[in-house]
Amino acid sequence: MAEPATLQISPSILAADFAHLAAELRAIETADWAHVDVMDAHFVPNLTLGAPVVEALARVSPVPLDAHLMIDDPDRWAPGYAEAGAASVTFHVEAAQDPVGTARAIRAAGARAALALKPGTPFAPYADLLPELDMVLVMTVEPGFGGQSFMDDQLAKVRQVREAVRRHGGEIWVQVDGGVAQDTIGRCAEAGADVFVAGSAVYGADDVAAAVAALRRAAAEAV
C-alpha cells in the first residue's frame, strides 16, 4: 500500500469535557483537526450538538473543525455547518438523498466535502462520487457513541477506498473513526488511512498533547 500524502490526527471532542470545550480545544492545538460529532437522536440513538455550538467552537478553536453529521436529511442541513465555520463537513451516504448536490453545496459554502460510510455500507456503489469529494470516512464502529471497540473487518474497506482514490487521482483523504488508539492506528495507516479520529485515546490520557504525538508517531511508523 502506497504511503498517504498526509497523516493527520483529529481528536473527537465527543470524549472531551463539554463543560469546558474552549479549554479542551486549546489542549489539542498540536493536532490537525478537531472532530465534532453532530448527532440528532434520529439517524443515530444519541443527541449531541448542532450548528450554533459549531459556530461558537469555530470562534475559539486553534485548529479547524471537522463536523461529522450523523443526522437525517443532511441535504438540507450540511451546508449550514460550513457556513457556521466548519472547515470540513462529513455527511452519511445512508441519510443523503442527493449526495452529489450536498457535496457541491458544502464546497460552495467554503468547506471540504466528505462522505461517511457505516460499517455495513459497502463503498463500491459510491466510488463514482469521488470527483465530488475531498474525503471518505470509513466508520470502524457503529456510529452513535464513543468508547466502542475497533472493528478490524473494516480495514478491507479502507484498502478499497485507498485503491479507488489512487486510481482516481487527486488528493482525497481517507479517514477512519471509531476505536482508533495506540494499538489500532498503525493498522489503519497501513491499510491506507491518512486522517485518524481518536476520542478517548486522546482525551482520556493524562497528557493530551503527548497522546496526540504518540498517535501521530505510531501512524507514521506503520507506513
Side-chain angles (χ1 to χ4, degrees), residues 102-158:
T102 299
R104 289 178 179 176
I106 291 169
R107 283 176 161 180
R112 295 174 60 87
L115 184 76
L117 304 163
K118 295 168 69 173
T121 303
F123 169 68
Y126 307 107
D128 60 352
L129 295 176
L130 286 178
E132 309 293 341
L133 302 173
D134 300 293
M135 184 169 72
V136 176
L137 165 55
V138 176
M139 291 297 299
T140 43
V141 299
E142 288 293 341
F145 293 93
Q148 298 183 66
S149 297
F150 180 81
M151 298 172 69
D152 270 286
D153 60 356
Q154 296 304 302
L155 291 175
K157 191 188 300 182
V158 174

Side-chain angles (χ1 to χ4, degrees), residues 122-124 155-165 167 191:
F123 169 68
L155 291 175
K157 191 188 300 182
V158 174
R159 294 187 182 93
Q160 184 182 19
V161 175
R162 172 55 61 192
E163 177 58 24
V165 168
R167 291 195 305 268

Side-chain angles (χ1 to χ4, degrees), residues 14-102:
L14 185 64
D17 181 351
F18 272 34
H20 302 95
L21 283 179
E24 296 282 59
L25 286 168
R26 288 194 297 272
I28 59 166
E29 64 183 0
T30 58
D32 300 283
W33 296 85
H35 190 83
V36 182
D37 289 306
V38 177
M39 308 184 197
D40 64 357
H42 293 281
F43 182 70
V44 293
N46 197 2
L47 182 66
T48 54
L49 47 80
V53 177
V54 169
E55 185 173 12
L57 295 177
R59 290 197 296 267
V60 300
S61 180
V63 293
L65 302 185
D66 172 20
H68 176 193
L69 308 185
M70 289 168 271
I71 63 174
D72 284 341
D73 200 9
D75 309 282
R76 175 183 178 185
W77 299 111
Y81 284 86
E83 294 163 1
S88 176
V89 178
T90 302
F91 63 95
H92 271 265
V93 71
E94 303 90 354
Q97 298 298 314
D98 179 15
V100 170
T102 299

Side-chain angles (χ1 to χ4, degrees), residues 166-191:
R166 187 194 64 78
R167 291 195 305 268
H168 171 72
E171 186 180 354
I172 301 172
W173 301 343
V174 181
Q175 185 181 68
V176 287
D177 178 4
V180 176
Q182 194 69 25
D183 61 341
T184 58
I185 193 169
R187 298 201 295 278
C188 297
E190 192 175 24

